[in-house]
Amino acid sequence: MWKCRNCSAELMFEEVEPDGDAHGLHFICHECGHRNKLINIGKSDEPLKLPQPDD
Ligand SMILES: [Zn+2]
């Protein structure tokens, strides 16, 4: 699962839909609306394995 960097909510992969825009890949926390950054590891066929950055 993913963890929100803002409110620490733990979100199942099925609950959020990763999105990409000019600023990069991210998902929006359903709890607080925070935009969480994701790393694109270049496997477009495995969108649910996008890791979160460690920072
Ligand atoms: Zn949140």
Side-chain angles (χ1 to χ4, degrees):
M1 64 182 67
W2 282 321
K3 188 171 183 178
C4 176
R5 298 292 182 187
N6 186 54
C7 70
S8 297
E10 292 183 333
L11 305 168
M12 300 301 291
F13 295 128
E14 296 81 18
E15 292 184 85
V16 296
E17 186 169 348
D19 195 13
D21 60 19
H23 299 288
L25 287 165
H26 66 275
F27 70 89
I28 302 297
C29 175
H30 285 194
E31 297 294 325
C32 71
H34 181 74
R35 198 182 113 140
N36 289 271
K37 195 174 171 185
L38 295 172
I39 297 172
N40 185 353
I41 58 173
K43 289 193 173 184
S44 60
D45 58 331
E46 297 182 28
L48 298 185
K49 290 191 176 180
L50 291 167
Q52 288 186 265
D54 291 328
D55 59 10

